[in-house]
Amino acid sequence: MTQKILEALADENLKLIRQPVDYDLDNAQTMKKMGELRAAFEKALGDTEKELFQSLKEANDTINLNYATQRFITGFRLGVLMMMEVYAGSDSLISH
């Protein structure tokens, strides 16, 4: 299995299946409130302010995506290091 994954990665054919995110009740309520607040905020804005708000939101989204990407990479590297440690110690589990 590992070889097939490595080959797919090398050939740029590795595609992940999107998985739905399960939100608990607190997150669902917070997301609903955020939507209501955004709608009320946009209603109070004029056209120029709406464009500025949209630009602010897009810049914030870009920063959040970059941050999330870096956190994923760091976590992935940590996971690989842990697996290397487990693999390196596996000789002590096998009788030669």
Side-chain angles (χ1 to χ4, degrees):
M1 182 163 132
T2 303
Q3 189 63 29
K4 290 181 183 180
I5 292 173
L6 292 175
E7 288 175 6
L9 180 62
D11 294 337
E12 298 180 5
N13 291 327
L14 186 63
K15 295 183 178 149
L16 300 177
I17 299 171
R18 290 185 180 224
Q19 299 292 322
V21 176
D22 293 330
Y23 292 103
D24 61 15
L25 183 59
D26 289 338
N27 281 340
Q29 289 173 342
T30 301
M31 290 177 67
K32 181 180 178 186
K33 182 177 181 179
M34 191 168 93
E36 292 168 352
L37 290 170
R38 180 179 175 155
F41 187 69
E42 287 181 341
K43 186 177 180 181
L45 298 176
D47 289 339
T48 302
E49 290 86 1
K50 283 182 184 177
E51 288 178 22
L52 289 171
F53 177 66
Q54 185 62 32
S55 294
L56 175 66
K57 183 186 171 306
E58 289 170 3
N60 187 59
D61 289 348
T62 298
I63 289 169
N64 287 336
L65 178 61
N66 290 339
Y67 178 72
T69 300
Q70 288 304 312
R71 285 188 50 107
F72 171 81
I73 290 169
T74 300
F76 187 87
R77 286 179 174 158
L78 178 60
V80 169
L81 287 172
M82 289 188 298
M83 292 304 296
M84 287 172 50
E85 183 177 321
V86 169
Y87 181 73
S90 65
D91 283 345
S92 65
L93 301 174
I94 301 170
S95 174
H96 294 280

